[in-house]
Amino acid sequence: MKIKRQKQAKKNINFYKHNFSFREPFQILIDGTFCQAALKNKIQIKEQMPKYLMGEVQLCTTNCALKELESMKDLYGAKLILQRYQVRNCKHFKNPVSVSECLLSMLEGTNPHHYFVATQDKEVTSGLKKILGVPLLYIILNTIVLDKPSLCSVNHVQAVALREMVTPAQQQSINSLKEVQGIGQDGERQGKKRKRKISNPNPLSCLKKKKKQPQLLKTEGKKKKRSRQRKRRKPEGGEGPSLKPTPNP
């Protein structure tokens, strides 16, 4: 059962990694109900959570969750556990609200900070299933369980696969690129148009053209050939050609 549960958790984590850009360290929002269930079932959250999620984690909570436990004396042990975790700033610092309302407001509709939520509150779990890309953790049978992706998240991923929608992470990156480029929502560039700099002409194109010289007549252009006369070599015996003597008959 442990190996099967680990494989299912790995499958669910990969779903959120590939489709909603979840990365380590995983940020886990914890409320008092989850700490109370862990205390009752003798679960060490800080030790067992990284092993179950197979990665680094950051355990955190909100000021509203701590305020709620302070008013309940029966949950003093859960309060001591929750105080060890990081406290994330919520919008209700001066006027605390219920934990369910606070946790749902931390997700901001699209869960841009990629929070896991660990709770036993049914009101919170029903609200989380209506928000895209929110992994839910709870305790059952003395073990931590990562719930399967909600139907809302699965339908959204299928729609993206059919190229009908864009993921929230992709939409955020598109909006940030548009702001950098100065492009509005209508696709038009904002701000003043840039003037083109006047560039100097190409120096090679500014060279003066060479004038073509008129061709000279062929007779003028030709030079007289110098005639060479060969000198005949004189024989050594004297001047004139040598005659051979004719034989007597």
mmCIF file of all heavy atoms in Angstrom, residues 52-95:
data_model
loop_
_atom_site.group_PDB
_atom_site.id
_atom_site.type_symbol
_atom_site.label_atom_id
_atom_site.label_comp_id
_atom_site.label_asym_id
_atom_site.label_seq_id
_atom_site.Cartn_x
_atom_site.Cartn_y
_atom_site.Cartn_z
ATOM 1 N N TYR A 52 7.257 12.332 1.566
ATOM 2 C CA TYR A 52 6.046 11.986 0.817
ATOM 3 C C TYR A 52 5.982 12.725 -0.519
ATOM 4 O O TYR A 52 5.618 12.143 -1.543
ATOM 5 C CB TYR A 52 4.813 12.312 1.656
ATOM 6 C CG TYR A 52 3.508 11.982 0.968
ATOM 7 C CD1 TYR A 52 3.160 10.662 0.677
ATOM 8 C CD2 TYR A 52 2.638 13.002 0.595
ATOM 9 C CE1 TYR A 52 1.975 10.373 0.036
ATOM 10 C CE2 TYR A 52 1.441 12.711 -0.039
ATOM 11 C CZ TYR A 52 1.115 11.394 -0.320
ATOM 12 O OH TYR A 52 -0.060 11.108 -0.957
ATOM 13 N N LEU A 53 6.373 13.997 -0.526
ATOM 14 C CA LEU A 53 6.333 14.799 -1.753
ATOM 15 C C LEU A 53 7.609 14.650 -2.591
ATOM 16 O O LEU A 53 7.714 15.224 -3.670
ATOM 17 C CB LEU A 53 6.096 16.268 -1.423
ATOM 18 C CG LEU A 53 4.763 16.603 -0.756
ATOM 19 C CD1 LEU A 53 4.669 18.093 -0.466
ATOM 20 C CD2 LEU A 53 3.589 16.165 -1.616
ATOM 21 N N MET A 54 8.600 13.923 -2.058
ATOM 22 C CA MET A 54 9.842 13.634 -2.785
ATOM 23 C C MET A 54 10.548 14.914 -3.241
ATOM 24 O O MET A 54 10.969 15.054 -4.392
ATOM 25 C CB MET A 54 9.552 12.734 -3.999
ATOM 26 C CG MET A 54 9.090 11.353 -3.611
ATOM 27 S SD MET A 54 8.335 10.460 -4.995
ATOM 28 C CE MET A 54 6.754 11.304 -5.108
ATOM 29 N N GLY A 55 10.657 15.863 -2.314
ATOM 30 C CA GLY A 55 11.324 17.118 -2.646
ATOM 31 C C GLY A 55 11.356 18.047 -1.437
ATOM 32 O O GLY A 55 10.752 17.774 -0.394
ATOM 33 N N GLU A 56 12.062 19.165 -1.590
ATOM 34 C CA GLU A 56 12.151 20.155 -0.517
ATOM 35 C C GLU A 56 10.813 20.874 -0.361
ATOM 36 O O GLU A 56 10.104 21.124 -1.339
ATOM 37 C CB GLU A 56 13.250 21.170 -0.817
ATOM 38 C CG GLU A 56 14.642 20.568 -0.849
ATOM 39 C CD GLU A 56 15.702 21.617 -1.128
ATOM 40 O OE1 GLU A 56 15.350 22.814 -1.171
ATOM 41 O OE2 GLU A 56 16.869 21.246 -1.316
ATOM 42 N N VAL A 57 10.513 21.225 0.897
ATOM 43 C CA VAL A 57 9.243 21.908 1.183
ATOM 44 C C VAL A 57 9.507 23.114 2.077
ATOM 45 O O VAL A 57 10.513 23.177 2.788
ATOM 46 C CB VAL A 57 8.227 20.960 1.860
ATOM 47 C CG1 VAL A 57 7.888 19.793 0.957
ATOM 48 C CG2 VAL A 57 8.740 20.468 3.209
ATOM 49 N N GLN A 58 8.590 24.073 2.015
ATOM 50 C CA GLN A 58 8.559 25.213 2.926
ATOM 51 C C GLN A 58 7.198 25.218 3.607
ATOM 52 O O GLN A 58 6.180 25.447 2.958
ATOM 53 C CB GLN A 58 8.784 26.533 2.174
ATOM 54 C CG GLN A 58 10.211 26.759 1.722
ATOM 55 C CD GLN A 58 10.390 28.103 1.035
ATOM 56 O OE1 GLN A 58 9.435 28.837 0.806
ATOM 57 N NE2 GLN A 58 11.622 28.429 0.695
ATOM 58 N N LEU A 59 7.187 24.949 4.903
ATOM 59 C CA LEU A 59 5.943 24.910 5.657
ATOM 60 C C LEU A 59 5.610 26.326 6.119
ATOM 61 O O LEU A 59 6.447 27.008 6.706
ATOM 62 C CB LEU A 59 6.088 23.975 6.857
ATOM 63 C CG LEU A 59 6.549 22.543 6.521
ATOM 64 C CD1 LEU A 59 6.739 21.736 7.795
ATOM 65 C CD2 LEU A 59 5.547 21.853 5.601
ATOM 66 N N CYS A 60 4.395 26.763 5.852
ATOM 67 C CA CYS A 60 4.006 28.129 6.199
ATOM 68 C C CYS A 60 2.541 28.174 6.605
ATOM 69 O O CYS A 60 1.772 27.230 6.363
ATOM 70 C CB CYS A 60 4.277 29.079 5.031
ATOM 71 S SG CYS A 60 3.575 28.551 3.461
ATOM 72 N N THR A 61 2.149 29.284 7.202
ATOM 73 C CA THR A 61 0.779 29.494 7.646
ATOM 74 C C THR A 61 0.460 30.981 7.546
ATOM 75 O O THR A 61 1.254 31.756 7.000
ATOM 76 C CB THR A 61 0.586 28.973 9.081
ATOM 77 O OG1 THR A 61 -0.802 29.060 9.429
ATOM 78 C CG2 THR A 61 1.424 29.763 10.073
ATOM 79 N N THR A 62 -0.683 31.379 8.054
ATOM 80 C CA THR A 62 -1.086 32.785 8.005
ATOM 81 C C THR A 62 -1.367 33.299 9.412
ATOM 82 O O THR A 62 -1.541 32.529 10.358
ATOM 83 C CB THR A 62 -2.341 32.966 7.135
ATOM 84 O OG1 THR A 62 -3.432 32.259 7.737
ATOM 85 C CG2 THR A 62 -2.106 32.450 5.728
ATOM 86 N N ASN A 63 -1.441 34.602 9.531
ATOM 87 C CA ASN A 63 -1.715 35.233 10.830
ATOM 88 C C ASN A 63 -3.119 34.890 11.313
ATOM 89 O O ASN A 63 -3.348 34.722 12.521
ATOM 90 C CB ASN A 63 -1.547 36.752 10.688
ATOM 91 C CG ASN A 63 -1.628 37.457 12.019
ATOM 92 O OD1 ASN A 63 -0.924 37.124 12.967
ATOM 93 N ND2 ASN A 63 -2.504 38.448 12.105
ATOM 94 N N CYS A 64 -4.073 34.766 10.394
ATOM 95 C CA CYS A 64 -5.455 34.437 10.776
ATOM 96 C C CYS A 64 -5.542 33.037 11.392
ATOM 97 O O CYS A 64 -6.326 32.802 12.332
ATOM 98 C CB CYS A 64 -6.358 34.524 9.555
ATOM 99 S SG CYS A 64 -6.488 36.188 8.860
ATOM 100 N N ALA A 65 -4.739 32.087 10.866
ATOM 101 C CA ALA A 65 -4.751 30.724 11.415
ATOM 102 C C ALA A 65 -4.213 30.705 12.840
ATOM 103 O O ALA A 65 -4.734 29.987 13.708
ATOM 104 C CB ALA A 65 -3.925 29.805 10.527
ATOM 105 N N LEU A 66 -3.175 31.499 13.103
ATOM 106 C CA LEU A 66 -2.618 31.576 14.455
ATOM 107 C C LEU A 66 -3.589 32.256 15.419
ATOM 108 O O LEU A 66 -3.744 31.829 16.570
ATOM 109 C CB LEU A 66 -1.286 32.333 14.431
ATOM 110 C CG LEU A 66 -0.115 31.614 13.746
ATOM 111 C CD1 LEU A 66 1.064 32.555 13.594
ATOM 112 C CD2 LEU A 66 0.293 30.370 14.530
ATOM 113 N N LYS A 67 -4.253 33.307 14.960
ATOM 114 C CA LYS A 67 -5.217 34.015 15.815
ATOM 115 C C LYS A 67 -6.374 33.115 16.195
ATOM 116 O O LYS A 67 -6.894 33.169 17.322
ATOM 117 C CB LYS A 67 -5.742 35.250 15.076
ATOM 118 C CG LYS A 67 -4.725 36.378 14.931
ATOM 119 C CD LYS A 67 -4.476 37.082 16.245
ATOM 120 C CE LYS A 67 -3.531 38.270 16.080
ATOM 121 N NZ LYS A 67 -3.239 38.910 17.379
ATOM 122 N N GLU A 68 -6.812 32.271 15.264
ATOM 123 C CA GLU A 68 -7.927 31.367 15.546
ATOM 124 C C GLU A 68 -7.545 30.346 16.614
ATOM 125 O O GLU A 68 -8.359 30.016 17.496
ATOM 126 C CB GLU A 68 -8.352 30.666 14.261
ATOM 127 C CG GLU A 68 -9.619 29.830 14.415
ATOM 128 C CD GLU A 68 -10.043 29.175 13.118
ATOM 129 O OE1 GLU A 68 -9.276 28.309 12.631
ATOM 130 O OE2 GLU A 68 -11.108 29.515 12.589
ATOM 131 N N LEU A 69 -6.300 29.828 16.563
ATOM 132 C CA LEU A 69 -5.873 28.835 17.561
ATOM 133 C C LEU A 69 -5.671 29.459 18.934
ATOM 134 O O LEU A 69 -5.812 28.780 19.958
ATOM 135 C CB LEU A 69 -4.587 28.165 17.094
ATOM 136 C CG LEU A 69 -4.702 27.225 15.888
ATOM 137 C CD1 LEU A 69 -3.345 26.658 15.527
ATOM 138 C CD2 LEU A 69 -5.686 26.096 16.157
ATOM 139 N N GLU A 70 -5.324 30.729 18.983
ATOM 140 C CA GLU A 70 -5.143 31.404 20.274
ATOM 141 C C GLU A 70 -6.446 31.479 21.070
ATOM 142 O O GLU A 70 -6.436 31.473 22.296
ATOM 143 C CB GLU A 70 -4.591 32.811 20.051
ATOM 144 C CG GLU A 70 -3.121 32.835 19.645
ATOM 145 C CD GLU A 70 -2.612 34.231 19.369
ATOM 146 O OE1 GLU A 70 -3.422 35.188 19.497
ATOM 147 O OE2 GLU A 70 -1.427 34.387 19.012
ATOM 148 N N SER A 71 -7.539 31.549 20.345
ATOM 149 C CA SER A 71 -8.841 31.641 21.016
ATOM 150 C C SER A 71 -9.366 30.278 21.467
ATOM 151 O O SER A 71 -10.352 30.220 22.202
ATOM 152 C CB SER A 71 -9.858 32.309 20.087
ATOM 153 O OG SER A 71 -10.019 31.547 18.902
ATOM 154 N N MET A 72 -8.716 29.186 21.052
ATOM 155 C CA MET A 72 -9.159 27.831 21.411
ATOM 156 C C MET A 72 -8.117 27.179 22.321
ATOM 157 O O MET A 72 -7.027 26.825 21.879
ATOM 158 C CB MET A 72 -9.348 26.975 20.138
ATOM 159 C CG MET A 72 -10.383 27.530 19.190
ATOM 160 S SD MET A 72 -10.542 26.502 17.692
ATOM 161 C CE MET A 72 -11.765 27.432 16.787
ATOM 162 N N LYS A 73 -8.444 27.013 23.547
ATOM 163 C CA LYS A 73 -7.509 26.431 24.512
ATOM 164 C C LYS A 73 -7.325 24.925 24.295
ATOM 165 O O LYS A 73 -6.290 24.368 24.679
ATOM 166 C CB LYS A 73 -8.003 26.691 25.939
ATOM 167 C CG LYS A 73 -8.039 28.169 26.300
ATOM 168 C CD LYS A 73 -8.500 28.373 27.732
ATOM 169 C CE LYS A 73 -8.518 29.862 28.099
ATOM 170 N NZ LYS A 73 -8.981 30.076 29.486
ATOM 171 N N ASP A 74 -8.335 24.276 23.711
ATOM 172 C CA ASP A 74 -8.233 22.827 23.488
ATOM 173 C C ASP A 74 -7.196 22.491 22.421
ATOM 174 O O ASP A 74 -6.726 21.349 22.351
ATOM 175 C CB ASP A 74 -9.593 22.262 23.057
ATOM 176 C CG ASP A 74 -10.648 22.449 24.137
ATOM 177 O OD1 ASP A 74 -10.253 22.618 25.314
ATOM 178 O OD2 ASP A 74 -11.842 22.446 23.796
ATOM 179 N N LEU A 75 -6.833 23.463 21.588
ATOM 180 C CA LEU A 75 -5.893 23.236 20.484
ATOM 181 C C LEU A 75 -4.535 23.873 20.761
ATOM 182 O O LEU A 75 -3.856 24.351 19.847
ATOM 183 C CB LEU A 75 -6.477 23.791 19.176
ATOM 184 C CG LEU A 75 -7.840 23.228 18.758
ATOM 185 C CD1 LEU A 75 -8.332 23.916 17.503
ATOM 186 C CD2 LEU A 75 -7.767 21.719 18.542
ATOM 187 N N TYR A 76 -4.131 23.840 22.030
ATOM 188 C CA TYR A 76 -2.858 24.468 22.401
ATOM 189 C C TYR A 76 -1.666 23.743 21.749
ATOM 190 O O TYR A 76 -0.702 24.372 21.300
ATOM 191 C CB TYR A 76 -2.705 24.462 23.924
ATOM 192 C CG TYR A 76 -1.434 25.126 24.399
ATOM 193 C CD1 TYR A 76 -1.293 26.509 24.360
ATOM 194 C CD2 TYR A 76 -0.367 24.360 24.881
ATOM 195 C CE1 TYR A 76 -0.123 27.117 24.800
ATOM 196 C CE2 TYR A 76 0.813 24.960 25.319
ATOM 197 C CZ TYR A 76 0.916 26.335 25.279
ATOM 198 O OH TYR A 76 2.076 26.944 25.700
ATOM 199 N N GLY A 77 -1.734 22.409 21.681
ATOM 200 C CA GLY A 77 -0.644 21.636 21.055
ATOM 201 C C GLY A 77 -0.510 21.948 19.564
ATOM 202 O O GLY A 77 0.601 22.084 19.033
ATOM 203 N N ALA A 78 -1.658 22.087 18.879
ATOM 204 C CA ALA A 78 -1.632 22.439 17.453
ATOM 205 C C ALA A 78 -1.055 23.841 17.255
ATOM 206 O O ALA A 78 -0.347 24.103 16.273
ATOM 207 C CB ALA A 78 -3.041 22.359 16.880
ATOM 208 N N LYS A 79 -1.332 24.714 18.211
ATOM 209 C CA LYS A 79 -0.797 26.080 18.117
ATOM 210 C C LYS A 79 0.724 26.080 18.224
ATOM 211 O O LYS A 79 1.418 26.797 17.491
ATOM 212 C CB LYS A 79 -1.408 26.939 19.224
ATOM 213 C CG LYS A 79 -0.873 28.356 19.263
ATOM 214 C CD LYS A 79 -1.291 29.065 20.539
ATOM 215 C CE LYS A 79 -0.544 30.375 20.693
ATOM 216 N NZ LYS A 79 -0.853 31.024 21.992
ATOM 217 N N LEU A 80 1.262 25.261 19.137
ATOM 218 C CA LEU A 80 2.722 25.188 19.283
ATOM 219 C C LEU A 80 3.393 24.674 18.009
ATOM 220 O O LEU A 80 4.484 25.124 17.644
ATOM 221 C CB LEU A 80 3.078 24.279 20.468
ATOM 222 C CG LEU A 80 2.687 24.792 21.864
ATOM 223 C CD1 LEU A 80 3.041 23.759 22.933
ATOM 224 C CD2 LEU A 80 3.369 26.120 22.170
ATOM 225 N N ILE A 81 2.733 23.718 17.351
ATOM 226 C CA ILE A 81 3.296 23.183 16.092
ATOM 227 C C ILE A 81 3.244 24.247 14.999
ATOM 228 O O ILE A 81 4.208 24.460 14.264
ATOM 229 C CB ILE A 81 2.519 21.923 15.656
ATOM 230 C CG1 ILE A 81 2.701 20.802 16.684
ATOM 231 C CG2 ILE A 81 2.988 21.450 14.275
ATOM 232 C CD1 ILE A 81 1.812 19.595 16.454
ATOM 233 N N LEU A 82 2.115 24.944 14.908
ATOM 234 C CA LEU A 82 1.918 25.918 13.832
ATOM 235 C C LEU A 82 2.841 27.135 13.983
ATOM 236 O O LEU A 82 3.221 27.756 12.986
ATOM 237 C CB LEU A 82 0.458 26.364 13.806
ATOM 238 C CG LEU A 82 -0.066 26.958 12.484
ATOM 239 C CD1 LEU A 82 0.013 25.924 11.371
ATOM 240 C CD2 LEU A 82 -1.503 27.435 12.638
ATOM 241 N N GLN A 83 3.195 27.458 15.210
ATOM 242 C CA GLN A 83 4.070 28.610 15.448
ATOM 243 C C GLN A 83 5.489 28.408 14.909
ATOM 244 O O GLN A 83 6.218 29.381 14.724
ATOM 245 C CB GLN A 83 4.141 28.911 16.947
ATOM 246 C CG GLN A 83 2.919 29.614 17.487
ATOM 247 C CD GLN A 83 3.003 29.839 18.995
ATOM 248 O OE1 GLN A 83 3.819 29.190 19.691
ATOM 249 N NE2 GLN A 83 2.185 30.726 19.518
ATOM 250 N N ARG A 84 5.880 27.173 14.675
ATOM 251 C CA ARG A 84 7.236 26.891 14.171
ATOM 252 C C ARG A 84 7.397 27.228 12.683
ATOM 253 O O ARG A 84 8.524 27.324 12.199
ATOM 254 C CB ARG A 84 7.568 25.400 14.384
ATOM 255 C CG ARG A 84 7.524 24.960 15.833
ATOM 256 C CD ARG A 84 7.717 23.453 15.923
ATOM 257 N NE ARG A 84 7.526 22.963 17.281
ATOM 258 C CZ ARG A 84 7.515 21.664 17.603
ATOM 259 N NH1 ARG A 84 7.677 20.743 16.642
ATOM 260 N NH2 ARG A 84 7.334 21.289 18.852
ATOM 261 N N TYR A 85 6.300 27.385 11.987
ATOM 262 C CA TYR A 85 6.362 27.574 10.540
ATOM 263 C C TYR A 85 6.394 29.056 10.174
ATOM 264 O O TYR A 85 6.075 29.929 10.988
ATOM 265 C CB TYR A 85 5.169 26.890 9.861
ATOM 266 C CG TYR A 85 5.004 25.435 10.252
ATOM 267 C CD1 TYR A 85 3.745 24.864 10.377
ATOM 268 C CD2 TYR A 85 6.121 24.635 10.495
ATOM 269 C CE1 TYR A 85 3.596 23.525 10.729
ATOM 270 C CE2 TYR A 85 5.981 23.303 10.853
ATOM 271 C CZ TYR A 85 4.715 22.757 10.978
ATOM 272 O OH TYR A 85 4.572 21.435 11.326
ATOM 273 N N GLN A 86 6.785 29.305 8.926
ATOM 274 C CA GLN A 86 6.827 30.689 8.438
ATOM 275 C C GLN A 86 5.413 31.266 8.366
ATOM 276 O O GLN A 86 4.456 30.568 8.037
ATOM 277 C CB GLN A 86 7.446 30.733 7.041
ATOM 278 C CG GLN A 86 8.872 30.229 6.974
ATOM 279 C CD GLN A 86 9.404 30.238 5.549
ATOM 280 O OE1 GLN A 86 8.794 30.788 4.646
ATOM 281 N NE2 GLN A 86 10.558 29.617 5.352
ATOM 282 N N VAL A 87 5.314 32.554 8.682
ATOM 283 C CA VAL A 87 4.016 33.244 8.633
ATOM 284 C C VAL A 87 3.989 34.109 7.376
ATOM 285 O O VAL A 87 4.802 35.028 7.238
ATOM 286 C CB VAL A 87 3.789 34.100 9.893
ATOM 287 C CG1 VAL A 87 2.441 34.824 9.804
ATOM 288 C CG2 VAL A 87 3.843 33.233 11.143
ATOM 289 N N ARG A 88 3.090 33.814 6.470
ATOM 290 C CA ARG A 88 2.950 34.583 5.235
ATOM 291 C C ARG A 88 1.966 35.740 5.455
ATOM 292 O O ARG A 88 0.956 35.579 6.147
ATOM 293 C CB ARG A 88 2.470 33.695 4.088
ATOM 294 C CG ARG A 88 3.460 32.613 3.723
ATOM 295 C CD ARG A 88 4.758 33.244 3.220
ATOM 296 N NE ARG A 88 5.849 32.323 3.166
ATOM 297 C CZ ARG A 88 6.158 31.589 2.107
ATOM 298 N NH1 ARG A 88 5.414 31.651 1.024
ATOM 299 N NH2 ARG A 88 7.209 30.795 2.131
ATOM 300 N N ASN A 89 2.288 36.865 4.868
ATOM 301 C CA ASN A 89 1.447 38.048 5.017
ATOM 302 C C ASN A 89 0.136 37.868 4.267
ATOM 303 O O ASN A 89 0.127 37.560 3.076
ATOM 304 C CB ASN A 89 2.171 39.285 4.486
ATOM 305 C CG ASN A 89 3.420 39.613 5.300
ATOM 306 O OD1 ASN A 89 3.449 39.402 6.508
ATOM 307 N ND2 ASN A 89 4.450 40.116 4.641
ATOM 308 N N CYS A 90 -0.953 38.083 4.975
ATOM 309 C CA CYS A 90 -2.272 38.065 4.347
ATOM 310 C C CYS A 90 -2.864 39.473 4.415
ATOM 311 O O CYS A 90 -2.292 40.380 5.034
ATOM 312 C CB CYS A 90 -3.183 37.045 5.030
ATOM 313 S SG CYS A 90 -3.481 37.395 6.784
ATOM 314 N N LYS A 91 -4.023 39.640 3.815
ATOM 315 C CA LYS A 91 -4.650 40.965 3.745
ATOM 316 C C LYS A 91 -5.438 41.317 4.998
ATOM 317 O O LYS A 91 -6.013 42.405 5.082
ATOM 318 C CB LYS A 91 -5.578 41.025 2.530
ATOM 319 C CG LYS A 91 -4.862 40.763 1.211
ATOM 320 C CD LYS A 91 -5.851 40.731 0.064
ATOM 321 C CE LYS A 91 -5.155 40.430 -1.254
ATOM 322 N NZ LYS A 91 -6.115 40.344 -2.392
ATOM 323 N N HIS A 92 -5.437 40.413 5.972
ATOM 324 C CA HIS A 92 -6.301 40.621 7.149
ATOM 325 C C HIS A 92 -5.472 40.763 8.430
ATOM 326 O O HIS A 92 -5.837 40.220 9.466
ATOM 327 C CB HIS A 92 -7.280 39.447 7.285
ATOM 328 C CG HIS A 92 -7.722 38.870 5.979
ATOM 329 N ND1 HIS A 92 -7.241 37.683 5.468
ATOM 330 C CD2 HIS A 92 -8.588 39.354 5.059
ATOM 331 C CE1 HIS A 92 -7.808 37.429 4.312
ATOM 332 N NE2 HIS A 92 -8.617 38.432 4.026
ATOM 333 N N PHE A 93 -4.348 41.458 8.323
ATOM 334 C CA PHE A 93 -3.460 41.562 9.489
ATOM 335 C C PHE A 93 -4.135 42.341 10.621
ATOM 336 O O PHE A 93 -4.055 41.958 11.790
ATOM 337 C CB PHE A 93 -2.149 42.242 9.078
ATOM 338 C CG PHE A 93 -1.139 42.320 10.191
ATOM 339 C CD1 PHE A 93 -0.427 41.196 10.563
ATOM 340 C CD2 PHE A 93 -0.925 43.510 10.882
ATOM 341 C CE1 PHE A 93 0.493 41.246 11.603
ATOM 342 C CE2 PHE A 93 -0.015 43.573 11.914
ATOM 343 C CZ PHE A 93 0.705 42.438 12.270
ATOM 344 N N LYS A 94 -4.802 43.428 10.275
ATOM 345 C CA LYS A 94 -5.453 44.251 11.309
ATOM 346 C C LYS A 94 -6.795 43.680 11.716
ATOM 347 O O LYS A 94 -7.186 43.742 12.886
ATOM 348 C CB LYS A 94 -5.629 45.675 10.794
ATOM 349 C CG LYS A 94 -4.309 46.411 10.582
ATOM 350 C CD LYS A 94 -4.554 47.843 10.112
ATOM 351 C CE LYS A 94 -3.225 48.573 9.923
ATOM 352 N NZ LYS A 94 -3.438 49.975 9.440
ATOM 353 N N ASN A 95 -7.524 43.121 10.761
ATOM 354 C CA ASN A 95 -8.857 42.563 11.037
ATOM 355 C C ASN A 95 -8.889 41.095 10.620
ATOM 356 O O ASN A 95 -9.234 40.767 9.482
ATOM 357 C CB ASN A 95 -9.936 43.339 10.263
ATOM 358 C CG ASN A 95 -9.958 44.804 10.651
ATOM 359 O OD1 ASN A 95 -9.915 45.148 11.820
ATOM 360 N ND2 ASN A 95 -10.026 45.680 9.655
#
